[in-house]
Amino acid sequence: MNKSRILLIYTGGTIGMIKNYETGALVSFNFNELLENIPELRLLDCHIDTASLKTPIDSSNMNPQYWGELCSIIEKGYESYDGFVVLHGSDTMSYTASALSFMLENLSKPVIFTGSQLPIGDLRTDAKENLITAVQVAALQKRSKPLIKEVCLYFEYKLYRANRTTKTSAENFEAFTSPNYPELLTSGVHLAINESNLWRSNRKVLKVHYNLTTEVLLLKLYPGISQCLVEEMLSITCVEGVVLETFGAGNTTTQKWFLDVLKVTLKKGIPVVNVTQCTSGSVIMGNYETSVALKKMGVINGGDITTEAAITKMMYLLGQNLSSKVFKIVFETSLRGELT
Ligand code: ASP
């Protein structure tokens, strides 16, 4: 079996910071010295090269332009490497990783996102385990081919399908959850792989989609949301798609003004997707009277998709110039395992 070749891509975030013990401040790590600072990486049975965003960032500054930069690094290295590990700030990791899952169509190699809650130089850091295991996971092979063929997120002993994750803790080392899809792998004394949960890729060639439309409005409902606010927001001229965060299994108020403004939005050809505010479970449109009207007027059923995946899927599909009818069908179809 050939040694796996892994490209480790650094984008920034807490993981890449190190404490200056004189000042106590966190400063960006010199990425070129990464291998020297984590000698354990040398013990892994794979070959590791590194790449970095031109300017490493806190992931709160992440945006689709950087997603394009990341995709381009992966596309350029696709033939030369067996797997990719992306070091990323945890704050927006689920967004970036979800976006890449859509942008990288026909992926047949692992792209594993990881980061940490404490910097790599901190005594109690979670960065080392996250990084080392993420590399190990990216290097896994079966019959001399990469075992994992999808975009994943590895954090605190668990590997998840990236577009199923959401950051749920700013405090715990276990910062992410995947409420509607089981772990792909858990790391204990051994790596326990749940092979039946892994994405099975087709044999087509990688196709990278760089064209995203960012004019997506996220509207979270709450009891008492005012008519003028909703009407104003949905009539903003640059809005091209709406993700509606609804109650429970996809319910909204049935007040006439609300249903009317949604109808007008849909008539303009602006897709509206119904996702639930609940952390787990699914939208079931038509289950309650309060979602029957939405179904009838053509609101898209987001099922059990996360908000992160819904927003990025919408950006991706809006960039494909689909008709309203096809857009709805494709959105309601699982493209990368983001929906049950
Ligand atoms: N603010 C940091 C970031 O997302 C937090 C982290 O890396 O955990 O870049």
Side-chain angles (χ1 to χ4, degrees):
M1 197 157 64
N2 288 334
K3 267 192 180 187
S4 287
R5 295 177 62 85
I6 304 299
L7 183 63
L8 183 58
I9 308 168
Y10 176 54
T11 70
T14 301
I15 191 165
M17 297 179 176
I18 197 159
K19 201 171 231 159
N20 177 328
Y21 285 101
E22 275 165 27
T23 64
L26 290 176
V27 288
S28 274
F29 198 63
N30 178 351
F31 188 59
N32 294 330
E33 291 167 25
L34 184 88
L35 292 177
E36 276 70 53
N37 278 270
I38 314 174
E40 295 90 333
L41 281 176
R42 293 191 189 285
L43 301 175
L44 295 175
D45 194 23
C46 57
H47 174 88
I48 302 172
D49 285 331
T50 56
S52 176
L53 284 188
K54 284 177 203 105
T55 326
I57 53 163
D58 185 294
S59 79
S60 309
N61 282 317
M62 194 37 86
N63 63 42
Q65 213 177 319
Y66 289 118
W67 299 344
E69 236 185 275
L70 271 176
C71 282
S72 152
I73 295 174
I74 293 170
E75 188 175 28
K76 283 190 191 123
Y78 199 68
E79 292 311 320
S80 316
Y81 295 96
D82 301 299
F84 302 85
V85 173
V86 182
L87 302 183
H88 193 289
S90 64
D91 289 347
T92 63
M93 195 186 294
S94 291
Y95 289 91
T96 302
S98 296
L100 260 67
S101 77
F102 298 115
M103 294 167 83
L104 301 170
E105 188 177 356
N106 305 328
L107 189 66
S108 61
K109 298 186 177 186
V111 175
I112 315 288
F113 278 76
T114 195
S116 64
Q117 292 282 54
L118 285 175
I120 207 144
D122 196 285
L123 270 184
R124 294 179 55 248
T125 191
D126 52 332
K128 281 196 177 187
E129 199 285 321
N130 285 348
L131 171 53
I132 289 165
T133 309
V135 173
Q136 260 185 323
V137 165
L140 289 173
Q141 294 189 2
K142 190 173 179 180
R143 292 189 207 101
S144 301
K145 290 256 158 58
L147 174 70
I148 291 160
K149 302 168 168 59
E150 59 182 304
V151 183
C152 299
L153 189 155
Y154 181 79
F155 225 86
E156 194 62 5
Y157 304 108
K158 286 180 184 153
L159 182 77
Y160 308 102
R161 174 164 300 155
N163 56 30
R164 292 295 196 143
T165 63
T166 187
K167 184 173 179 183
T168 44
S169 177
E171 166 66 23
N172 299 341
F173 284 142
E174 190 164 354
F176 291 88
T177 50
S178 168
N180 288 323
Y181 198 75
E183 287 102 47
L184 305 179
L185 174 151
T186 40
S187 164
V189 174
H190 301 288
L191 297 180
I193 306 159
N194 302 317
E195 268 198 57
S196 58
N197 296 334
L198 297 178
W199 181 252
R200 275 175 253 286
S201 75
N202 53 39
R203 286 162 191 267
K204 295 185 186 159
V205 287
L206 177 76
K207 188 168 174 200
V208 187
H209 300 271
Y210 289 98
N211 191 24
L212 300 184
T213 298
T214 55
E215 284 72 21
V216 174
L217 177 76
L218 172 63
L219 179 56
K220 180 169 185 155
L221 298 185
Y222 51 89
I225 193 165
S226 86
Q227 178 172 355
C228 83
L229 263 183
V230 176
E231 284 176 354
E232 285 290 329
M233 280 195 278
L234 292 183
S235 59
I236 299 170
T237 47
C238 69
V239 171
E240 295 200 29
V242 181
V243 174
L244 195 64
E245 266 200 10
T246 59
F247 309 120
N251 305 310
T252 64
T253 172
T254 47
Q255 288 174 93
K256 186 171 177 310
W257 66 262
F258 180 77
L259 298 177
D260 284 348
V261 70
L262 282 188
K263 269 184 213 153
V264 171
T265 307
L266 289 162
K267 278 231 168 76
K268 283 193 281 190
I270 298 172
V272 179
V273 175
N274 185 352
V275 302
T276 175
Q277 292 177 14
C278 295
T279 324
S280 64
S282 179
V283 163
I284 312 170
M285 290 213 292
N287 203 29
Y288 288 88
E289 199 210 325
T290 41
S291 64
V292 168
L294 306 184
K295 190 175 178 181
K296 267 196 201 148
M297 72 175 82
V299 168
I300 298 168
N301 186 345
D304 63 355
I305 200 167
T306 61
T307 297
E308 291 88 333
I311 290 173
T312 51
K313 185 173 186 176
M314 188 163 256
M315 287 180 175
Y316 160 64
L317 289 181
L318 286 172
Q320 305 290 303
N321 292 320
L322 308 170
S323 69
S324 299
K325 204 174 150 199
V326 174
F327 189 100
K328 183 172 188 298
I329 295 169
V330 178
F331 202 105
E332 290 178 348
T333 307
S334 167
L335 302 179
R336 315 279 191 265
E338 74 282 4
L339 284 174
T340 300

